[in-house]
Amino acid sequence: MKELSRIAEAVQASTTMAIDAMFKQMKADGIDVIGFGAGEPDFNTPDNIKQAGIEAIEHNVTRYTPAAGTVELRQAVCHRMKEDCGVEYKPSQVVISSGAKHLVYLALRALVNPGDEIILPAPYWVSYIELIRMVGAEPVVVHATEAEQFKLTPEKLEAAITPRTKALMINNPSNPTGMMYSREELEAIAAVCLKHELYVIADEIYYRLAYDGLKFTSFAALGPEMRELTILVNGVSKSYAMTGWRIGYACANEKIAKIMANYVSHSTGSPVAISQKAAAVALSGPQDQVDVMCKAFEERRDYFVKRVNAIPGVSCIKPEGAFYAMMNLEQLIGKTIHGVEITNDDVFADAFLKYGLVAVVPGSGFGAPNFVRWSYATSMENIKEGLDRLERFLAGE
Ligand SMILES: Cc1ncc(COP(=O)(O)O)c(C=O)c1O
């Protein structure tokens, strides 16, 4: 048999999905496990949005749409971005596709030539590193420590730039850390990007989930020059509990938006017509449900952080957005729990699932060894039980 694509064969399975699959299998086998691996809200899509999808089917909105998405949805994106982020785009600068994940891929496709370098701050969302490799670019990982609040500093960014650097990939608020950059922090990063004319792929999918009254700043809101170099990636999955509808959007300068739309037209053809109708209602209709979900996530975060920090051997810094927290395991490394020597985060996650019956995601897949990620997009009851189990597990019970 002839060799398969080297690029395709090098792609690694997503660690978040692998843990989720293992957890689902245990659950299917009747084992009482609790999962903290999933990256999706546990809420249902709000009724008015579901209704829009039902009506779309009933009114035969079941055909191809323009490759970049319907004008109605692109206008709704422009409205929402202006309202929430203070950035103005024209519908011709917006591309809709099957989820933000696909738009990150399209953004990279639009920018990258073989051998280009993309700067990727760690901890990073697992898919980024694979997506960068999938388009033939090289990820240049820049580590941000817990003491730095897991945030890229302008100094570290500057030090990582070479003549081959094409872009910076930034996720704000972050999966997996939950940290959010302030406007000042973003401005300092943007100054370096402008100096070196770097493009920025800014994945802001968690922008509506910001806590403690903190104000989110979009990368594209940092001035016209920065906006020209920014490809904003966003979507309806997290803000409106619409992960299965598969609608994301990107906003960029017209040239880049057109290139991305051309890719869509020859690959997926167009996004799902029915989902686009529902997404348009999500973005232009009442927004109160988003605030209800955000409030619930904030309460869970408060409970989670307080309890973790009261358990000997583990700790976590307080996330400011999204629905993830990184639990620090450094003090457990070298200890034996349930007869297992905890040598790293993978071993911990494996033992915790086997003996504690709790699924969390090892940090190594995010470029954050000795941490595990908990997603608190699950009920308060589950969070309480999960942390009770953590206590018992660490006590060897
Ligand atoms: C940082 C980040 N970007 C993008 C996505 C994917 O979003 P979508 O469902 O729109 O593809 C996720 C999902 O977990 C994510 O965490």
Side-chain angles (χ1 to χ4, degrees):
M1 267 215 290
K2 292 205 183 200
E3 187 191 16
L4 299 179
S5 152
R6 273 173 231 143
I7 286 191
E9 284 206 299
V11 176
Q12 304 286 314
S14 157
T15 41
T16 48
M17 296 217 176
I19 284 282
D20 202 42
M22 205 148 74
F23 156 74
K24 283 182 179 141
Q25 185 59 52
M26 286 173 84
K27 227 178 157 111
D29 293 342
I31 302 168
D32 168 32
V33 278
I34 309 181
F36 292 89
E40 59 184 342
D42 54 319
F43 298 103
N44 293 324
T45 304
D47 285 342
N48 65 319
I49 301 174
K50 286 198 284 202
Q51 195 52 39
I54 292 165
E55 279 168 22
I57 295 174
E58 284 174 352
H59 294 145
N60 297 307
V61 184
T62 52
R63 298 196 160 82
Y64 294 136
T65 75
T70 61
V71 174
E72 179 193 30
L73 179 52
R74 282 183 282 144
Q75 276 171 341
V77 167
C78 296
H79 164 73
R80 185 85 355 251
M81 286 296 97
K82 186 170 176 213
E83 192 95 334
D84 293 351
C85 304
V87 282
E88 286 198 45
Y89 287 105
K90 292 186 275 193
S92 54
Q93 295 178 283
V94 178
V95 184
I96 312 293
S97 193
S98 323
K101 190 180 275 202
H102 191 233
L103 285 149
V104 173
Y105 174 73
L106 292 171
L108 285 164
R109 273 276 168 235
L111 298 182
V112 161
N113 289 312
D116 282 351
E117 292 174 353
I118 306 290
I119 295 181
L120 179 60
Y124 47 75
W125 180 43
V126 273
S127 291
Y128 292 149
I129 197 152
E130 297 302 331
L131 286 164
I132 292 170
R133 292 185 182 128
M134 277 162 71
V135 299
E138 260 178 58
V140 174
V141 175
V142 180
H143 290 274
T145 64
E146 190 186 38
E148 291 167 328
Q149 306 277 294
F150 297 122
K151 291 178 190 175
L152 175 71
T153 61
E155 295 76 21
K156 283 190 175 177
L157 171 60
E158 180 88 53
I161 293 170
T162 76
R164 286 161 60 201
T165 309
K166 181 59 77 66
L168 164 69
M169 183 98 101
I170 194 159
N171 178 211
N172 187 39
S174 156
N175 174 7
T177 69
M179 300 314 289
M180 187 166 81
Y181 290 86
S182 67
R183 186 176 188 99
E184 293 68 35
E185 287 164 340
L186 290 176
E187 278 170 348
I189 290 171
V192 180
C193 295
L194 284 172
K195 182 174 148 201
H196 295 273
E197 289 192 341
L198 300 189
Y199 291 102
V200 176
I201 299 175
D203 179 346
E204 301 181 346
I205 189 129
Y206 295 101
Y207 84 112
R208 295 293 291 269
L209 304 178
Y211 312 129
D212 305 320
L214 289 174
K215 202 175 151 13
F216 165 82
T217 301
S218 169
F219 217 90
L222 300 174
E225 270 182 298
M226 199 60 253
R227 199 183 66 157
E228 193 61 16
L229 288 170
T230 301
I231 304 181
L232 270 200
V233 175
N234 211 320
V236 294
S237 285
K238 318 289 177 172
S239 302
Y240 304 96
M242 290 179 73
T243 47
W245 296 79
R246 307 309 304 129
I247 293 291
Y249 53 89
C251 306
N253 71 42
E254 281 196 36
K255 188 171 178 194
I256 292 178
K258 189 154 191 328
I259 292 172
M260 290 170 71
N262 286 345
Y263 250 87
V264 174
S265 81
H266 293 294
S267 48
T268 58
S270 69
V272 179
I274 300 149
S275 297
Q276 289 189 71
K277 271 281 176 197
V281 166
L283 294 170
S284 51
Q287 300 292 302
D288 45 322
Q289 282 307 307
V290 184
D291 298 331
V292 170
M293 290 189 258
C294 187
K295 185 105 200 35
F297 286 133
E298 185 166 355
E299 279 167 21
R300 296 171 189 181
R301 176 210 59 167
D302 288 345
Y303 177 84
F304 179 86
V305 171
K306 202 162 164 217
R307 271 210 60 194
V308 165
N309 285 321
I311 299 174
V314 291
S315 63
C316 79
I317 59 170
K318 196 173 190 181
E320 297 160 329
F323 38 66
Y324 308 101
M326 291 293 266
M327 186 172 82
N328 186 326
L329 304 174
E330 268 154 24
Q331 289 181 57
L332 299 180
I333 303 300
K335 297 231 158 80
T336 299
I337 305 171
H338 282 277
V340 179
E341 190 192 346
I342 307 297
T343 46
N344 59 41
D345 48 287
D346 287 319
V347 174
F348 173 88
D350 200 59
F352 193 26
L353 186 54
K354 264 195 208 130
Y355 302 106
L357 301 181
V358 173
V360 292
V361 188
S364 296
F366 306 110
N370 297 343
F371 286 85
V372 288
R373 188 195 74 177
W374 292 67
S375 158
Y376 50 88
T378 185
S379 69
M380 195 61 133
E381 194 190 349
N382 275 349
I383 296 170
K384 285 181 181 159
E385 176 61 21
L387 291 166
D388 287 348
R389 290 185 187 190
L390 175 66
E391 270 181 335
R392 291 200 294 271
F393 172 74
L394 292 178
E397 291 167 20

